Amino acid sequence: MIPSNEQVSMNEQEQKLRDEILKDAKRKAERALTRAKRDADKACKQAETAQASEREQALARAGERAATQSRAVLATVAQEIRRRRLLAREEIIERCLDEALTVAESLPAEEYRRSLGELLAEALAALGPGEATIRVRPADLDLLSPPCLTTLGIEPAGLTVVADATIVGGVVAKSHDGRRQFDNTYATRRKRLRERLRTLLAGEIDF
């Protein structure tokens, strides 16, 4: 049976419609695919950006921790340096004081007597005028007898010299009314000298 012209025309129209539908579907599919790719690329870039940001933040936190640790280490080192310098300073001071004491204890008898007289004169000058009691170690009692005081240039009148076993060297002068006293013993002079040496070394050396 031969199709009529109307049937051919309808078939052509149907085919044309199907083709247009397929083309439209294909275009939509392509657009959808393009959008999907674009969205995927965008998502990947966002993920990469987020990862990069996280890495930067992690590096920043690590840098802060390293800086904090570095400051702590430097502070500890500075404290240790200062501690060792202070110990070294104290060792120097004690060595100087020990050497000075050794020299004082090893003086010949006559030089030691003059040294004792100088300590007494210094104590009396600090005490001021008036009667006073002078305390010395028992071994030095005879060195400050009235005749010895006179030879040392010290007026013995008004001075009472007594032995004190607690004194290991030097003198302690005290007014008779007990209101004034000047300790010029080796032990006290050592303390005063230690402070002067600390001040001197602190000025000469950066501790």
Side-chain angles (χ1 to χ4, degrees):
M1 183 177 192
I2 301 173
S4 63
N5 292 331
E6 292 180 358
Q7 289 178 335
V8 171
S9 177
M10 289 181 62
N11 290 337
E12 289 177 352
Q13 289 178 357
E14 290 177 0
Q15 184 63 41
K16 184 178 181 179
L17 181 61
R18 282 195 298 270
D19 291 342
E20 288 178 355
I21 292 172
L22 289 174
K23 287 180 181 180
D24 185 57
K26 184 177 181 181
R27 285 194 299 269
K28 289 181 179 178
E30 289 176 348
R31 286 198 298 269
L33 181 59
T34 300
R35 284 197 300 271
K37 289 182 178 180
R38 187 169 56 246
D39 292 342
D41 291 340
K42 183 178 179 181
C44 289
K45 290 180 179 179
Q46 290 176 343
E48 291 176 355
T49 301
Q51 290 177 351
S53 177
E54 290 178 0
R55 285 196 298 271
E56 291 176 358
Q57 292 177 3
L59 289 173
R61 289 193 295 269
E64 291 175 359
R65 288 196 298 270
T68 299
Q69 293 173 355
S70 177
R71 287 193 295 270
V73 170
L74 290 176
T76 301
V77 170
Q79 290 175 355
E80 181 62 17
I81 290 174
R82 178 173 175 77
R83 186 186 71 83
R84 293 190 181 188
R85 285 180 173 176
L86 289 173
L87 288 176
R89 185 184 70 178
E90 292 302 310
E91 289 177 0
I92 292 172
I93 290 173
E94 291 304 319
R95 186 163 61 247
C96 290
L97 293 175
D98 289 342
E99 291 176 358
L101 182 60
T102 300
V103 170
E105 291 176 341
S106 62
L107 287 174
E110 184 58 26
E111 290 186 27
Y112 178 78
R113 186 175 71 86
R114 285 198 299 270
S115 174
L116 192 63
E118 291 172 357
L119 293 177
L120 176 57
E122 183 180 344
L124 292 174
L127 199 64
E131 298 181 348
T133 298
I134 310 302
R135 303 201 321 268
V136 297
R137 66 177 184 172
D140 294 341
L141 194 60
D142 292 339
L143 298 179
L144 296 182
S145 63
C148 290
L149 289 174
T150 300
T151 60
L152 291 171
I154 299 174
E155 175 55 51
L159 299 181
T160 302
V161 183
V162 298
D164 186 341
T166 63
I167 296 176
V168 296
V171 302
V172 176
K174 188 175 185 178
S175 62
H176 278 339
D177 60 13
R179 295 181 179 179
R180 293 165 294 149
Q181 177 174 295
F182 187 82
D183 188 336
N184 215 18
T185 59
Y186 285 165
T188 300
R189 288 178 65 84
R190 183 186 179 102
K191 292 179 182 178
R192 292 198 291 262
L193 181 56
R194 180 184 289 110
E195 293 306 316
R196 287 201 294 270
L197 286 174
R198 281 174 177 163
T199 300
L200 176 64
L201 289 176
E204 294 294 332
I205 304 175
D206 181 13
F207 284 105

